[in-house]
Amino acid sequence: MRSPQLKSNQVIIITGASRGIGEATALLAATRGYSVCVNYRYHAEAAERLVAEIAEAGGKAVAVAADTSVEADVLRMFKTVDETLGPLSALVNNAGILRPQMRLSEMSLQRISEVMAVNVIGCFLCAREAVKRMSTSSGGKGGAIVNVSSGASRLGAPGEYVDYAASKGALDTFTVGLAKEVAEEGIRVNAVRPGFIYTDIHASGGEPERVDRVKAFVPMKRGGQPGEVAHAIMWLLSDEASFTTGAFIDITGGK
Ligand code: NAP
């Protein structure tokens, strides 16, 4: 019997899908029948490898290089998806960055601006383009958006990266507001807030082994795997979450 979650002719864009949580989500989306846009910024080889893996398993995917904080890149990515995969039904705003741990007093304007540009403005731009295509008020068939926030939005990340935590706080508020704005237009907007997940992002924060250092503070006493986040994202996108919008799932092991 076909899985009730299996989607045919559904198209999804997952930003930052060459690695980590985005990669796991892309793989899961493909197994659920979505045609997947694997967005990335630098790691073309990883993105192409993932596309090949999805194709070998009988799925459909395309890799698109685009810096989500650059409007022209975002417009090009959505146009490519329109032309190669078809009408968009889902967006996962997953691309996100963090910079080396430091106090606010040491942070440069450039660093703060980059974090905000990717983690906030990039999500706004992608959501804007998705809503234009999905909204029933402009001839679309509706759809679903999931923003990948962070448990840091609740905790604040003092002494490490308050810029990153605040960017995720902005994403949380954006999730609430956009969900209400487009609720009558067939679009659901939700967010996940992962905790400490084993991915490369901690190396860019200057501490590759961070999850193992902090896992003792997690009630479940372990870090999470990207796939554990991907399952929550895919549930929020699925018809099983049909009455869920403006909602948050914390995937933090209880922290
Ligand atoms: P990751 O392993 O560092 O992967 C980041 C991904 O984002 C890569 O695919 C990267 O592409 C892409 N990317 C970065 N900047 C981009 C840009 N400007 N435009 C397009 N793509 C861009 O990160 P992750 O840990 O999987 O994190 C994914 C999301 O989860 C982020 O939003 C992060 O804040 C959030 N999160 C993670 C954790 C955690 O513990 N891992 C916890 C809470 C929240 P390239 O490969 O080409 O560089």
Side-chain angles (χ1 to χ4, degrees):
M1 197 178 86
R2 274 163 71 92
S3 156
Q5 292 198 333
L6 199 65
K7 301 271 192 180
S8 55
N9 304 321
Q10 300 273 341
V11 173
I12 187 170
I13 293 177
I14 303 170
T15 65
S18 49
R19 295 180 284 133
I21 292 167
E23 177 188 18
T25 307
L27 281 168
L28 194 56
T31 67
R32 301 266 167 95
Y34 283 90
S35 298
V36 185
C37 168
V38 174
N39 161 251
Y40 66 99
R41 186 172 184 184
Y42 298 122
H43 290 89
E45 223 173 90
E48 294 295 355
R49 212 180 309 125
L50 178 58
V51 165
E53 190 179 338
I54 289 171
E56 274 162 31
K60 190 171 178 187
V62 58
V64 181
D67 179 344
T68 53
S69 67
V70 174
E71 187 175 29
D73 280 20
V74 171
L75 296 179
R76 178 177 45 75
M77 173 170 73
F78 276 79
K79 191 162 178 276
T80 302
V81 170
D82 293 339
E83 292 169 357
T84 58
L85 299 180
L88 187 71
S89 33
L91 165 70
V92 182
N93 262 327
N94 169 75
I97 56 169
L98 59 75
R99 293 293 183 237
Q101 297 165 3
M102 62 181 70
R103 292 171 59 89
L104 174 65
S105 52
E106 300 169 69
M107 289 180 192
S108 67
L109 170 62
Q110 190 192 349
R111 167 209 166 109
I112 298 167
S113 302
E114 275 176 18
V115 168
M116 294 297 165
V118 177
N119 295 5
V120 183
I121 295 173
C123 296
F124 274 61
L125 293 173
C126 291
R128 185 190 71 191
E129 292 311 304
V131 165
K132 280 186 197 167
R133 287 159 174 79
M134 294 172 179
S135 174
T136 51
S137 70
S138 50
K141 291 193 170 130
I145 297 172
V146 172
N147 294 323
V148 181
S149 175
S150 170
S153 75
R154 289 184 288 104
L155 302 171
E160 294 191 326
Y161 15 71
V162 292
D163 53 347
Y164 171 83
S167 75
K168 296 299 188 178
L171 192 54
D172 287 359
T173 306
F174 177 54
T175 302
V176 172
L178 185 64
K180 292 174 181 169
E181 190 168 302
V182 299
E184 284 185 273
E185 299 166 28
I187 305 172
R188 296 182 299 102
V189 185
N190 294 290
V192 293
R193 285 191 291 226
F196 306 123
I197 311 296
Y198 288 99
T199 72
D200 297 343
I201 204 168
H202 306 288
S204 53
E207 190 186 0
E209 310 303 328
R210 180 166 192 261
V211 177
D212 285 331
R213 174 175 66 83
V214 296
K215 67 185 180 190
F217 303 108
V218 175
M220 288 179 74
K221 303 293 177 214
R222 67 172 178 89
Q225 296 297 332
E228 296 182 284
V229 182
H231 274 94
I233 293 171
M234 292 313 300
W235 180 77
L236 285 169
L237 293 176
S238 77
D239 293 342
E240 292 180 351
S242 53
F243 199 47
T244 301
T245 198
F248 296 82
I249 299 181
D250 290 331
I251 308 152
T252 57
K255 190 161 167 62

